[in-house]
Amino acid sequence: MEADLKPIVVSPPVSTGVAYWWLNANPKIWDFRSDPIGSVQTYTSHNEAGNKRQKFKYFTAVKPGDLLIGYVTTPDKEIVALCEITKALHGPPGHEEIEFRKIEQFAEPVTWDELQAVPALAQCEPILNNQGSLFTITAEEYEVIRGLIDERNLSTKLIKPASFTKADALKDLFMPPEVLDQILARLHRKKALILQGPPGVGKTWIARRLAFALMGERDERRVKMVQFHPSYGYEDFVQGFRPTRTGLERRDGVFYQFARLARNDPERDWFFIIDEINRGNLAKIFGELLVLIEADKRGPNHAVPLTYSDSPDETFYLPSNLHFIGTMNTADRSLAMVDYALRRRFAFVTLDAAFESPAFAVWLKKLNASDAMIARIRTKIGH
């Protein structure tokens, strides 16, 4: 009598190593950057209509300890964070979710264009077809992406900046403390400030001190300065096409790049200083960004398409932590070029020469100036 033969079911081996995943986030709905490192977030395996998301099987395969690359979609289109899975798929049917903890946020994100240009990522699933939310990537692909991230962020791993107090801001500054407080309060509230005054009163020098004072530290990386002039344009400032050896290539301007960095660091203030702001054609330079300068027009809900956007869905917005400081020479005839549309978006502070300030006399005495010399300077130059 033959023994009963039963089919042998061979289960697939259970992976015990770290797996690597890629998760898309629409910044208009939610964003990896909005919460600090160490925060826990969740993502559901079903959409708002209750239907399973694309590649539902990936949600069932996620396990604690896996690494998750955080990618934000249009308009940013860049890798901004790294997370670790803390809970596998769990919850009631139709409402299951995975849980992950943010372990890194990248000061210098890796853009979609950079990823597409790497041959080793040519077959990477989310790069071949980015339709969907959760994707799997191989260990080799993760190492390539990690290499790009580390290369971009190597220069940002600097020594912690020195603290910068209000006393530091007032050092050798011929301005009463209460005036400095008023200026800082206006900059914090309006997020856009113009320092105007005659040549030589230290407008640019004070602008940097205002930035550091609001930061509470002297972080040079979070301050960027440009100088406007008659030939400066939108393509230099925001975005435009530039010639290459094979044709034309769209490139981001200095302000566009700086705004991206500020968006990826939402917990800290960033400052863009525009020296001689009245010497540029402001309507031409700012373009559609003029409306975004206002403090209540910040964030993804106010995103607008740019002049050189590929589609209406490719939009741009200013984060709430980005501040403008402009300087304006009131002796310059180009002052008339500053129209009222820009004027109402900035707070204006007038800086005058401080020859009568007691601090000015103290500073001159440190340089061994006599009382007679101080009086002569005040008489000849200050009046």
Side-chain angles (χ1 to χ4, degrees):
M1 184 177 178
E2 296 182 355
D4 292 337
L5 297 178
K6 296 181 180 180
I8 300 175
V9 178
V10 180
S11 300
V14 177
S15 174
T16 57
V18 174
Y20 302 94
W21 308 95
W22 169 305
L23 183 63
N24 283 345
N26 182 342
K28 297 178 182 179
I29 301 174
W30 71 285
D31 198 329
F32 289 99
R33 300 166 293 194
S34 58
D35 293 320
I37 292 174
S39 61
V40 174
Q41 296 178 321
T42 60
Y43 194 82
T44 61
S45 60
H46 291 66
N47 59 25
E48 293 77 8
N51 299 318
K52 291 181 179 179
R53 298 189 187 276
Q54 292 186 41
K55 301 176 183 175
F56 176 79
K57 62 180 181 180
Y58 289 161
F59 286 88
T60 65
V62 167
K63 65 184 185 305
D66 289 351
L67 294 180
L68 180 77
I69 288 177
Y71 177 84
V72 287
T73 58
T74 301
D76 301 343
K77 301 172 67 174
E78 56 196 15
I79 293 173
V80 299
L82 181 68
C83 304
E84 181 182 23
I85 301 295
T86 50
K87 287 185 181 180
L89 193 65
H90 63 283
H95 299 279
E96 300 99 329
E97 60 186 15
I98 59 174
E99 182 187 273
F100 48 91
R101 177 174 57 89
K102 185 162 76 173
I103 58 177
E104 289 186 63
Q105 182 155 306
F106 307 126
E108 293 275 0
V110 176
T111 67
W112 177 255
D113 290 339
E114 291 172 321
L115 293 165
Q116 285 190 311
V118 179
L121 298 176
Q123 299 303 313
C124 185
E125 186 179 72
I127 296 175
L128 276 175
N129 183 358
N130 200 249
Q131 298 301 311
S133 53
L134 185 65
F135 304 87
T136 181
I137 61 175
T138 66
E140 292 76 13
E141 291 165 347
Y142 172 79
E143 291 301 326
V144 171
I145 294 172
R146 182 77 233 194
L148 290 173
I149 292 168
D150 291 341
E151 183 179 348
R152 289 293 306 273
N153 288 271
L154 182 62
S155 62
T156 67
K157 297 177 181 178
L158 306 175
I159 298 173
K160 181 176 174 57
S163 64
F164 194 90
T165 64
K166 187 167 47 172
D168 294 322
L170 288 167
K171 184 178 181 181
D172 296 329
L173 181 63
F174 311 139
M175 178 184 293
E178 60 272 16
V179 174
L180 177 64
D181 288 338
Q182 293 172 4
I183 296 174
L184 291 174
R186 297 181 73 182
L187 176 58
H188 178 72
R189 176 181 60 85
K190 194 79 171 179
K191 300 188 185 299
L193 176 79
I194 287 181
L195 302 174
Q196 61 180 357
V201 295
K203 297 183 292 296
T204 305
W205 184 71
I206 293 174
R208 296 180 64 83
R209 291 203 169 197
L210 293 177
F212 296 143
L214 272 188
M215 289 181 191
E217 58 185 7
R218 193 184 185 94
D219 191 346
E220 299 282 355
R221 182 174 170 271
R222 288 189 280 143
V223 178
K224 182 71 175 180
M225 187 176 75
V226 299
Q227 186 179 76
F228 280 1
H229 50 78
S231 62
Y232 201 83
Y234 180 92
E235 290 75 14
D236 305 299
F237 192 63
V238 183
Q239 199 175 68
F241 282 92
R242 296 296 186 189
T244 66
R245 292 182 179 180
T246 57
L248 294 175
E249 179 181 80
R250 192 182 73 176
R251 294 183 183 173
D252 298 330
V254 59
F255 176 71
Y256 186 101
Q257 296 176 33
F258 188 79
R260 282 180 56 239
L261 296 177
R263 285 204 303 266
N264 283 283
D265 190 13
E267 300 300 315
R268 301 190 297 174
D269 292 324
W270 290 63
F271 297 85
F272 196 88
I273 300 174
I274 305 173
D275 194 31
E276 304 285 359
I277 190 172
N278 53 307
R279 294 189 64 236
N281 185 332
L282 301 181
K284 173 186 174 184
I285 294 172
F286 279 95
E288 61 278 328
L289 297 191
L290 194 61
V291 68
L292 303 183
I293 294 175
E294 297 183 60
D296 60 351
K297 299 295 190 299
R298 303 298 181 90
N301 290 336
H302 298 281
V304 297
L306 298 178
T307 299
Y308 296 104
S309 293
D310 290 333
S311 68
D313 291 334
E314 186 181 351
T315 56
F316 178 83
Y317 67 90
L318 295 184
S320 60
N321 63 326
L322 193 154
H323 302 71
F324 292 91
I325 305 177
T327 69
M328 181 182 295
N329 183 355
T330 51
D332 196 326
R333 288 181 296 178
S334 61
L335 182 64
M337 296 177 63
V338 182
D339 59 24
Y340 286 101
L342 189 72
R343 284 181 179 273
R344 73 179 184 84
R345 289 171 167 84
F346 282 81
F348 280 73
V349 172
T350 300
L351 300 178
D352 294 316
F355 294 112
E356 300 299 328
S357 168
F360 178 63
V362 171
W363 180 74
L364 287 176
K365 286 185 177 181
K366 288 181 180 178
L367 299 177
N368 299 320
S370 64
D371 290 339
M373 176 62 71
I374 295 173
R376 184 178 181 186
I377 291 172
R378 284 173 165 171
T379 301
K380 296 293 185 180
I381 302 177
H383 298 285

